[in-house]
Amino acid sequence: MKLKYTVKESDNYQTIKEILSLEFHLSSRLTTKLIKTKQIYKNGILADTRSSVVSQDCIVVNLDYEEDTCNIVPTKMNLDILYEDEWFLVVNKPAGIAIHPSRLHYDNSLSNGIRYYFDSIHLKKKIRPVNRLDFDTSGLVIFAKCEYIQQELIHQMSVAIFKKEYLCLVEGFMDPKEGKIDLPIARKEGSIIERCTNTNGQKSVTHYKVIQEFKNCSFVQCQLETGRTHQIRVHMKAIGHPILGDTLYGNASNLVPRQALHSYQIMCIHPVTKNKLNFMANLPKDMKLE
């Protein structure tokens, strides 16, 4: 994992530090770490970030250094990996598994499975999920293989380049069939888990479109403009159409054994190749209604 940049005639860069900041968008924290671990080179020679640059100088940042991974127990799992390159991988998470280890999921979270997989390919890197899904939400999760990729993709989220689309089943029939829910979300008073719409909350915007209607529920596509905790679940409850099977914000269902929410599509720009990427995860069986 190496970032490379060759200085052009037309560039106005004076130092390596400017290239790290303006070309690679490295944070000051990561730059400091790379300096301390001696991972920055000019023309194949270890370099100081204050070093000057001229046309045709080749600047390389090495991100292959090993990291301590002992904070997560490796657990063998059958991972559904939809995409992988040297920089990150995309996993289709089933419902009923946590992203992070916790007191209740010390050795059976998705991160435990990723740690085992990283060990199997001899990758000594911290486990870095880029996006997060609730325990009972299924679908796409990206795991960065280094701090740089995590940093870049999270930045893309903040400027709406990284787009997430979900499919869900909601109670009742929506009217209108397509629209925007623009309601601020805040933590519910007295709860460490539950959220609610609140004028004092953070701006939260969900775009929705009804795809199909069944006997007493609707199949809906949602695109997030913001990414608040439980956003779709809270917004659907707020407009009177809670997600099927969502016992925190709605009701249990005899049609779906869990909250019927699936992260089915992610669109982003590859931080290194700059290619447009589009990942999709098929709808799981437990959300398919006849």
Side-chain angles (χ1 to χ4, degrees):
M1 286 184 282
K2 292 180 174 66
L3 301 176
K4 298 180 182 180
Y5 184 77
T6 301
V7 181
K8 304 180 183 69
E9 274 289 347
S10 56
D11 286 341
N12 293 316
Y13 298 131
Q14 301 298 313
T15 65
I16 291 176
K17 185 177 181 180
E18 291 177 4
I19 292 172
L20 301 186
S21 174
L22 300 173
E23 284 295 331
F24 298 145
H25 309 123
L26 296 184
S27 66
S28 56
R29 178 174 174 272
L30 180 52
T31 299
T32 300
K33 183 183 295 185
L34 293 168
I35 292 169
K36 286 182 178 179
T37 54
K38 300 180 179 179
Q39 305 295 340
I40 301 165
Y41 297 83
K42 182 174 76 170
N43 303 326
I45 301 171
L46 189 66
D48 188 299
T49 55
R50 295 167 292 184
S51 297
S52 61
V53 294
V54 296
S55 177
Q56 299 308 306
D57 277 347
C58 181
I59 308 305
V60 173
V61 173
N62 178 28
L63 296 164
D64 285 333
Y65 57 89
E66 293 186 358
E67 295 178 311
D68 182 7
T69 60
C70 66
N71 64 319
I72 293 180
V73 175
T75 303
K76 188 175 182 179
M77 292 182 183
N78 292 320
L79 299 174
D80 185 8
I81 298 175
L82 302 183
Y83 173 87
E84 181 178 11
D85 62 19
E86 68 172 317
W87 298 100
F88 63 88
L89 55 86
V90 183
V91 179
N92 184 16
K93 182 185 95 68
I97 184 170
I99 297 287
H100 297 284
S102 65
R103 185 174 57 83
L104 296 176
H105 306 287
Y106 175 71
D107 62 358
N108 63 352
S109 74
L110 192 57
S111 290
N112 296 109
I114 297 296
R115 163 71 201 280
Y116 183 95
Y117 177 69
F118 278 8
D119 285 355
S120 75
I121 61 173
H122 310 292
L123 182 66
K124 298 298 182 183
K125 288 291 188 181
K126 290 183 178 179
I127 309 306
R128 293 184 167 96
V130 173
N131 61 309
R132 292 165 173 78
L133 298 179
D134 297 332
F135 181 82
D136 274 332
T137 298
S138 56
L140 298 169
V141 182
I142 295 181
F143 284 87
K145 290 183 176 180
C146 65
E147 185 175 349
Y148 172 73
I149 293 296
Q150 184 186 44
Q151 168 193 299
E152 284 294 283
L153 290 177
I154 288 175
H155 172 71
Q156 286 187 28
M157 284 186 203
S158 71
V159 294
I161 294 172
F162 188 107
K163 299 183 184 298
K164 297 175 285 185
E165 294 190 359
Y166 291 73
L167 296 172
C168 60
L169 290 163
V170 304
E171 295 180 11
F173 306 117
M174 304 182 75
D175 184 21
K177 305 301 181 190
E178 186 174 353
K180 180 174 79 169
I181 307 169
D182 187 351
L183 296 170
I185 291 176
R187 189 187 301 272
K188 187 175 182 179
E189 189 175 350
S191 175
I192 61 172
I193 299 173
E194 196 171 351
R195 267 60 176 177
C196 63
T197 54
N198 188 307
T199 54
N200 295 321
Q202 293 178 298
K203 183 174 180 61
S204 308
V205 179
T206 303
H207 299 269
Y208 74 88
K209 181 180 181 181
V210 175
I211 305 299
Q212 188 176 357
E213 293 180 338
F214 298 96
K215 185 176 180 180
N216 56 4
C217 63
S218 302
F219 186 49
V220 181
Q221 175 185 356
C222 295
Q223 181 171 327
L224 298 183
E225 191 173 307
T226 54
R228 310 304 176 202
T229 299
H230 298 176
Q231 180 172 315
I232 296 174
R233 299 168 66 188
V234 172
H235 274 171
M236 289 302 168
K237 175 187 178 180
I239 64 171
H241 298 282
I243 291 176
L244 231 59
D246 188 350
T247 54
L248 183 61
Y249 295 104
N251 308 292
S253 170
N254 58 7
L255 297 175
V256 185
R258 47 98 177 188
Q259 63 208 30
L261 182 61
H262 178 66
S263 170
Y264 89 102
Q265 187 170 28
I266 285 177
M267 293 161 282
C268 62
I269 304 295
H270 196 296
V272 179
T273 68
K274 307 306 178 185
N275 292 332
K276 291 183 179 180
L277 302 175
N278 188 351
F279 304 111
M280 299 185 74
N282 292 334
L283 192 70
K285 291 180 180 179
D286 65 358
M287 282 182 59
K288 292 180 179 178
L289 301 184
E290 299 297 331

